[in-house]
Amino acid sequence: MKIVSMLAAVVAFAAITTVSAKTGYGPGEQDWGFVDVRTGAHMFYWLYYTTANVSAYTERPLAIWLQGGPGASSTGYGNFEELGPLDLYGEYRNWTWVKDMNVLFIDNPVGSGFSYVDNILQLTSTNNAIAKDLVAFMKGFYELHPEFEDVPLHIFCESYGGKMAPEFALELYYAIQRGELKSNLKSVNLGDPWTSPIDSVLAWAPLLLNMGIVDQDGYENIMVAANKTLELVEKEKWTQATIQWSNTQGVLLRESKGVDFYNIEKPTRGDAYTRMLLKTNNYKEQMYRTLVKFDIDEDRDQILENLMRGPVSEALGIPSKVKWGSQSGSTFSRQMGDFMKPVIHIVNELLDHTPLRVSVFSGQLDLICATPGTVNWIEKMRWSYRNEYLNAPRLGISVDRVLEGYEKTVGNFSMFWINRAGHMVPADNPAGMSHILKKITQYDKN
């Protein structure tokens, strides 16, 4: 496998084979570059070394962050909107994960963010292809950074990452078992996950009705559209189901007068907001704007694009031919036939056939991957400790004497309900997220 690194310098001492840390954009030591996961497919990563008070950064775990979409950028959205050391406006973020762990943002699938392909036909079209690209990436990453081979590795994700991360973790685990690479993989953690898409869709109307956002008529209209999606899923007409998903989204926005898909309490522009989203009849554009652009606030979205294509690209020495996000729309479109397929069986396999820890965390104000839908697909899992999990007590999460949510753990599986958070739990409730990080990674006990 060919590895293409954009590093300014490589440590030349014979006893050291790792890539040197350097100053990038923002505080702390960093590293970044491309790994060719296939011929013509170039995956970009951005590594932040922890700023924790330790004698060596390898004393702290390595956390991978995978964004959703598919096609949304981890180095952009996850980094500057949720958990990196700087926010979108260049201000220091007090709750950055980098204070406690090493964080590796990967623009995945290829075509997302700074990752790119030489030919659009080289973009992935299935979840398994995405997972295998990520395994190829990890082989290249460990060649560049063998010092991380023994460091505990924890995969975190959000949204559509809830489909990609489980299969990635499973493929990575089996590759490790086959001796293809060395990695200390410990856990996979699904944030507000799109793991079972139809369960999310079917949860929309009940949640909005119970919150008073739609009335009975609105509920019934949304459910008619959602049930049409269900029929197509049951017939395994996957592309048509994806299109009907978009139609259901339109009905929901009309009936709710423009509720925010990522946080039902977020102020929106009401009907004007709805008209802006639905001003095109192109269902691909509607879905792309919701799932990849990530924020319907076009001004804020433009700020991020300007940041990534301007100061960030300049600081990291990104080649001029690589424009952040320029292939994201095509990346999303190529996955349309896979978009509505569930991966519950993959989570089952992780729990019953690997020693990996699996956790799910969900913000209770999220709509697009609504918590009730997540609870429903978890109940559908058929794993060894299913009955014990369903009958186990749910405990409160208290941080500094404030109730931040609830949790339930049985065996290697945990579910976390996070209060006062929508789709972006790390940004919406840092205290609740910190509890999850400590419990899963044990970073403060290494």
Side-chain angles (χ1 to χ4, degrees):
M1 173 175 29
K2 179 183 176 185
I3 301 172
V4 182
S5 179
M6 294 162 45
L7 305 167
V10 176
V11 176
F13 300 104
I16 302 177
T17 59
T18 62
V19 173
S20 61
K22 57 191 182 299
T23 301
Y25 182 86
E29 293 186 321
Q30 305 163 27
D31 178 45
W32 58 89
F34 290 93
V35 171
D36 286 359
V37 295
R38 286 176 282 114
T39 300
H42 318 282
M43 190 169 286
F44 183 79
Y45 71 93
W46 192 350
L47 170 67
Y48 287 83
Y49 295 91
T50 185
T51 57
N53 185 21
V54 291
S55 58
Y57 55 77
T58 51
E59 294 177 16
R60 290 297 176 95
L62 175 64
I64 288 175
W65 180 261
L66 299 178
Q67 209 66 43
S73 167
S74 298
T75 64
Y77 294 103
N79 187 2
F80 292 101
E81 295 274 24
E82 299 193 62
L83 56 107
L86 295 179
D87 67 14
L88 187 59
Y89 303 100
E91 301 294 329
Y92 288 89
R93 180 176 283 122
N94 291 330
W95 60 83
T96 175
W97 293 15
V98 180
K99 285 186 175 182
D100 302 310
M101 297 178 293
N102 304 286
V103 180
L104 178 61
F105 295 100
I106 305 174
D107 278 341
N108 161 80
V110 286
S112 309
F114 286 126
S115 295
Y116 69 100
V117 292
D118 296 340
N119 187 304
I120 294 300
L121 295 179
Q122 294 166 319
L123 294 171
T124 56
S125 60
T126 68
N127 204 54
N128 186 253
I130 292 173
K132 288 181 177 178
D133 274 358
L134 282 166
V135 172
F137 167 83
M138 293 306 298
K139 292 176 181 178
F141 176 79
Y142 283 126
E143 287 184 32
L144 288 169
H145 291 280
E147 73 276 16
F148 279 111
E149 288 180 341
D150 294 319
V151 172
L153 176 66
H154 301 273
I155 301 170
F156 287 86
C157 69
E158 185 174 270
S159 197
Y160 199 82
K163 278 194 60 172
M164 299 184 292
E167 194 150 5
F168 166 38
L170 190 64
E171 291 286 349
L172 180 58
Y173 172 78
Y174 287 137
I176 295 167
Q177 297 304 112
R178 292 191 297 266
E180 295 177 10
L181 75 165
K182 184 179 179 183
S183 175
N184 191 10
L185 178 62
K186 293 293 188 182
S187 75
V188 56
N189 309 278
L190 316 179
D192 292 273
W194 191 247
T195 305
S196 178
I198 192 59
D199 282 300
S200 294
V201 173
L202 293 174
W204 291 350
L207 175 63
L208 294 179
L209 179 64
N210 290 333
M211 293 296 294
I213 296 174
V214 299
D215 59 12
Q216 188 64 33
D217 286 341
Y219 166 85
E220 292 175 0
N221 289 336
I222 296 169
M223 283 306 303
V224 167
N227 284 326
K228 288 180 181 178
T229 311
L230 174 61
E231 291 174 8
L232 293 167
V233 167
E234 291 177 336
K235 294 176 181 177
E236 298 187 355
K237 296 182 177 181
W238 299 114
T239 300
Q240 291 171 261
T242 300
I243 296 170
Q244 182 57 32
W245 174 93
S246 179
N247 294 336
T248 307
Q249 175 194 21
V251 174
L252 184 153
L253 289 170
R254 183 190 71 218
E255 297 295 339
S256 68
K257 307 300 185 288
V259 69
D260 190 276
F261 254 84
Y262 293 125
N263 189 320
I264 59 176
E265 287 195 344
K266 181 179 178 180
T268 69
R269 285 170 279 184
D271 285 339
Y273 175 96
T274 309
R275 288 195 299 273
M276 180 179 68
L277 184 63
L278 301 180
K279 62 185 178 183
T280 173
N281 291 323
N282 187 325
Y283 62 85
K284 287 185 180 180
E285 176 62 26
Q286 291 177 18
M287 290 187 288
Y288 172 70
R289 174 151 294 281
T290 303
L291 297 165
V292 179
K293 301 295 276 188
F294 234 66
D295 197 322
I296 199 63
D297 185 336
E298 293 181 335
D299 293 335
R300 186 179 181 89
D301 198 70
Q302 189 62 52
I303 291 171
L304 179 61
E305 182 176 302
N306 292 342
L307 172 66
M308 298 303 290
R309 294 188 177 186
V312 169
S313 290
E314 182 178 352
L316 303 188
I318 303 296
S320 58
K321 69 175 183 178
V322 179
K323 299 295 183 184
W324 180 84
S326 63
Q327 293 183 345
S328 291
S330 298
T331 301
F332 175 84
S333 295
R334 286 279 288 175
Q335 292 290 142
M336 282 189 61
D338 203 81
F339 182 79
M340 289 298 296
K341 293 181 180 179
V343 294
I344 302 173
H345 64 292
I346 299 292
V347 182
N348 283 339
E349 188 169 352
L350 285 168
L351 289 171
D352 275 344
H353 298 288
T354 81
L356 302 180
R357 183 163 188 170
V358 180
S359 74
V360 175
F361 55 95
S362 182
Q364 295 190 14
L365 301 176
D366 186 18
L367 175 59
I368 194 164
C369 298
T371 301
T374 298
V375 171
N376 286 342
W377 72 253
I378 289 174
E379 291 182 355
K380 291 178 181 179
M381 289 197 303
R382 294 295 183 266
W383 56 297
S384 300
Y385 292 93
R386 178 180 183 271
N387 291 336
E388 288 87 340
Y389 172 80
L390 294 178
N391 293 321
R394 196 172 72 147
L395 305 177
I397 297 173
S398 181
V399 181
D400 295 330
R401 302 180 68 183
V402 175
L403 182 65
E404 301 293 358
Y406 310 89
E407 64 179 283
K408 183 189 287 193
T409 298
V410 171
N412 283 341
F413 181 74
S414 296
M415 170 68 189
F416 300 92
W417 294 256
I418 303 301
N419 293 341
R420 296 179 300 283
H423 196 63
M424 293 79 162
V425 172
D428 289 347
N429 190 332
M433 190 72 237
S434 178
H435 171 86
I436 296 170
L437 293 177
K438 286 182 179 179
K439 180 151 188 173
I440 296 300
T441 72
Q442 304 283 301
Y443 67 76
D444 55 342
K445 297 180 181 178
N446 291 338

